[in-house]
Amino acid sequence: MFQKYTLCFDIWGFLLFLIIMIPNFIWFAVPAPNDILRTSSITETLDTAASVCQIFMVAALCIFRNSDRDRKKRVTPFIIIAAGCCLLYFLSWIVYYKGIVNVIVVLGLTNPPCFAFLFFAIDRKNGIALTPILIFTICHLIYGVINFVV
C-alpha cells in the first residue's frame, strides 16, 4: 500500500489547510457577538484526540503523494465539492458573526471543513490521510454536538 506514496510537499493540501484556518485566525483576534465557542469544552479528552488527528491529517495531506493519482492540473468533481464545503464553512462563520447561533450554524462550523479535507484526500487518492480525517471528523462532530447542541 505505501509503495505507491512518495514524500513531497503538496502545496495544494497546505493551501486548503490555510484557507480553512482563515476564519479561525480572525476568530482568535476578533470575538464574535454571542460567542459560544469561547466557553470551556466538556469533551477535553475527545478534543485532544481531535487535535492529534488534525496534525496527522494535515501532515498526510501535505507530505504524502500517491503516484496513482491523476497528475493533470484540473478541476474535478471532488475539488468542486471541497470548494463548496469551504464556501459553506465561510458562510457559517458569517452567520455566526452576525450573532446567530443555532444547530445549523454549529453543524456548519463543524462538518464542512472536515468534508473539504475528506474530498480533497479522495481526489488526490491519499488513503493515508483518510483515517486521521475520518477520526477528526467524528471527534469534531461529537465536540460540536455535545458542547453546543445538546
Side-chain angles (χ1 to χ4, degrees), residues 119-131:
F119 286 111
F120 180 83
I122 291 169
D123 180 72
R124 298 293 197 236
K125 296 182 180 177
N126 189 338
I128 294 173
L130 290 179
T131 299

Side-chain angles (χ1 to χ4, degrees), residues 3-38:
Q3 299 93 323
K4 58 185 169 183
Y5 289 92
T6 58
L7 291 177
C8 62
F9 185 69
D10 186 343
I11 187 69
W12 296 109
F14 184 67
L15 286 174
L16 176 62
F17 173 70
L18 288 179
I19 288 167
I20 293 288
M21 290 305 295
I22 288 170
N24 294 282
F25 296 142
I26 295 169
W27 176 78
F28 284 127
V30 181
N34 196 18
D35 198 354
I36 64 167
L37 297 178
R38 293 194 189 269

Side-chain angles (χ1 to χ4, degrees), residues 25 28 30 37 56-57 73 88-89 92 115 130:
F25 296 142
F28 284 127
V30 181
L37 297 178
F56 284 126
M57 169 188 77
K73 304 285 187 211
L88 278 172
Y89 181 57
S92 298
F115 293 150
L130 290 179

Side-chain angles (χ1 to χ4, degrees), residues 31-38 96-102:
N34 196 18
D35 198 354
I36 64 167
L37 297 178
R38 293 194 189 269
Y96 184 74
Y97 265 88
K98 290 194 174 276
I100 300 169
V101 178
N102 57 37

Side-chain angles (χ1 to χ4, degrees), residues 66-81:
N66 186 332
S67 58
D68 289 345
R69 74 177 177 88
D70 188 1
R71 295 185 191 278
K72 295 178 185 172
K73 304 285 187 211
R74 60 186 167 102
V75 178
T76 66
F78 289 124
I79 294 300
I80 292 170
I81 294 168

Side-chain angles (χ1 to χ4, degrees), residues 112-144:
C114 299
F115 293 150
F117 291 123
L118 179 67
F119 286 111
F120 180 83
I122 291 169
D123 180 72
R124 298 293 197 236
K125 296 182 180 177
N126 189 338
I128 294 173
L130 290 179
T131 299
I133 290 170
L134 291 173
I135 295 170
F136 174 75
T137 300
I138 292 165
C139 291
H140 204 50
L141 178 60
I142 293 170
Y143 158 80

